[in-house]
Amino acid sequence: MDATPPPATPDARDWTFVVDDGCRECGYAPHDPVLTGERLQTAARRFATALQRPDAGERPAPGVWSTVEYAGHSRDLVRVLRERVEAMLATQGAPFADYDGEAEAVRRRFWAADPAQVEREIADETQRTVAVLARVRGDDWERTGLRGDGLPFTVTQLARYLLHDVEHHLHDVDA
């Protein structure tokens, strides 16, 4: 699918509630952040399977991302949040600009991506992120960064947010 599809239906919810409350929609429950790497590796394998489906590039309904779009977004979020953890480990209170996943999906034409390439990329980004998370020890989980709106968050909260996002998108594609 190379033609620009209509935009996906935007989701303006502030999903940060999942770090403490979990998500009834997909079943995510707040987890021990030490397990994030292991669960991200499992998620990458599940995306690999989903991306091998013949319809991985097809949107299931107007305004709903395809599997390759969800995987591309998850790949990018794994990278962005890894970079944020690295910055938080280096600088307490590191500030971060907002990340607009919808705009990035349009800018990088996720709908036209090769599923096999996205499969490799999400596996590679996951491995890099797992390596960074493996360096987090003890009090490092409570190091902070600042969202674009100035609200603080910890490495623990970021790990929970990331894992929820990736697992929720697997739920979206029924993988």
Side-chain angles (χ1 to χ4, degrees), residues 105-158:
V106 171
R107 185 183 74 75
R108 293 190 48 207
R109 301 173 44 89
F110 285 4
W111 63 86
D114 173 24
Q117 181 175 342
V118 174
E119 177 184 343
R120 287 188 300 275
E121 291 168 349
I122 199 168
D124 290 345
E125 292 297 346
T126 297
Q127 287 310 112
R128 288 183 190 104
T129 299
V130 168
V132 169
L133 290 170
R135 296 191 333 242
V136 179
R137 300 270 190 270
D139 291 343
D140 288 343
W141 289 106
E142 298 311 310
R143 291 186 66 84
T144 61
L146 298 174
R147 291 180 3 167
D149 60 6
L151 291 174
F153 57 91
T154 66
V155 173
T156 291
Q157 291 170 319
L158 196 60

Side-chain angles (χ1 to χ4, degrees), residues 13 27 34 49 58 112 121-122 153 174:
R13 291 179 281 186
V34 173
T49 300
E58 297 173 20
E121 291 168 349
I122 199 168
F153 57 91
D174 296 317

Side-chain angles (χ1 to χ4, degrees), residues 11-16 65 69-84 95-110 125 146-149 153 158 161-162 165-166 169:
D11 184 352
R13 291 179 281 186
D14 179 353
W15 283 94
T16 56
W65 275 351
E69 288 170 288
Y70 278 120
H73 171 70
S74 295
R75 170 206 58 213
D76 285 4
L77 197 59
V78 166
R79 176 188 49 79
V80 167
L81 295 185
R82 175 187 70 246
E83 291 168 353
R84 291 180 179 195
F96 302 106
D98 289 336
Y99 175 75
D100 186 339
E102 293 284 339
E104 194 67 9
V106 171
R107 185 183 74 75
R108 293 190 48 207
R109 301 173 44 89
F110 285 4
E125 292 297 346
L146 298 174
R147 291 180 3 167
D149 60 6
F153 57 91
L158 196 60
Y161 181 86
L162 170 60
D165 198 273
V166 171
H169 292 320

